Amino acid sequence: MLLDAGSGAIGNLQTALAYGALDAIVISHMHADHFFDIVPLRYGLTYGLRRATRLPLWLPPNGSPTLQAIAAPFTGERDFFGNVFDVREYDPTGTLKVGDLGLTFTPALHYIEAYAIRAEVPGATFAYTGDTAPCDAVAAHARGAALFLCEATLGLGSESPPRGHTSAREAGTMARQADVEHLALTHYYSGVEPADLIAAARDEFAGPITVVDDGMEFSLPFD
């Protein structure tokens, strides 16, 4: 399962597994830095590693027109993505099942419609904020998760309303509210030191904190 596909995601994915082996892709919201690598993946599945069946691609509600619109400037094909993807829109009020994995959703606090995602199998739970400002509903949705992958776009800074992103300290607050086991900070800008992000989150959260980087792996449940 691939959650979101921003720039560089598909290249990095190939260092972990063949992208043809994916069971599904789920997109949290339709901002370019969360789904634009669907385009190179489309070419890879068309001309490179082919699959016997189309790859399920789950978009948020009303995401399909946005996906189709990005292909319009450079292709005349009627269904640019449909030859390799089974494009669908998930119901954020229900549970999306892919094999043994169950995904549930809750609205995030962002500039457009966006969803945080909780993924569960027996014995292990993973929660992912997508893009969000601090949000009680997102924290509640992550409650008790072993791993909480939380955005820290603002780093050590802040933003004026309308809010749509989280600082490292605010990520720590949501992790504490959710009583998660391990906080993993992501979606941060390159100019901030990981140690500073951890220190800011540590003001609010006493558990393990990791600043994620390319190639990093976590195994759940934790020992």
Side-chain angles (χ1 to χ4, degrees):
M1 173 77 71
L2 177 64
L3 300 182
D4 286 343
S7 179
I10 299 306
N12 283 330
L13 178 67
Q14 293 180 84
T15 67
L17 79 162
Y19 48 72
L22 285 169
D23 292 310
I25 299 172
V26 178
I27 304 299
S28 65
H29 67 289
M30 300 305 290
H31 270 162
D33 59 327
H34 287 258
F35 79 92
F36 255 29
D37 252 21
I38 295 301
V39 175
L41 181 56
R42 181 266 183 195
Y43 284 107
L45 291 172
T46 300
Y47 301 107
L49 185 57
R50 298 175 182 269
R51 293 168 49 95
T53 59
R54 294 185 299 163
L55 176 61
L57 171 59
W58 290 95
L59 304 177
N62 304 310
S64 298
T66 301
L67 182 69
Q68 298 300 337
I70 67 169
F74 56 85
T75 178
E77 295 183 42
R78 184 173 182 180
D79 190 359
F80 179 71
F81 295 99
N83 63 328
V84 296
F85 295 115
D86 181 5
V87 181
R88 313 179 198 181
E89 295 178 0
Y90 53 78
D91 175 3
T93 67
T95 299
L96 174 60
K97 293 287 290 184
V98 179
D100 293 333
L101 189 65
L103 274 69
T104 55
F105 307 85
T106 198
L109 185 58
H110 197 44
Y111 313 119
I112 65 169
E113 185 175 7
Y115 294 92
I117 301 171
R118 181 183 179 100
E120 296 186 73
V121 294
T125 302
F126 163 75
Y128 167 56
T129 64
D131 278 1
T132 188
C135 180
D136 290 343
V138 171
H141 192 240
R143 182 144 194 94
L147 182 64
F148 181 46
L149 184 63
C150 185
E151 72 123 290
T153 304
L154 303 180
L156 308 178
S158 61
E159 68 178 346
S160 300
R163 295 290 308 272
H165 287 297
T166 298
S167 70
R169 180 169 184 155
E170 291 169 334
T173 299
M174 284 201 291
R176 173 174 50 79
Q177 291 171 336
D179 193 25
V180 298
E181 186 172 344
H182 191 124
L183 168 62
L185 300 174
T186 189
H187 208 286
Y188 55 91
Y189 60 92
S190 61
V192 65
E193 290 294 331
D196 293 336
L197 293 175
I198 291 174
R202 178 68 65 214
D203 286 342
E204 298 289 337
F205 179 66
I209 303 171
T210 299
V211 176
V212 300
D213 202 351
D214 293 345
M216 195 172 284
E217 297 183 6
F218 297 88
S219 296
L220 303 181
F222 295 115
D223 293 331

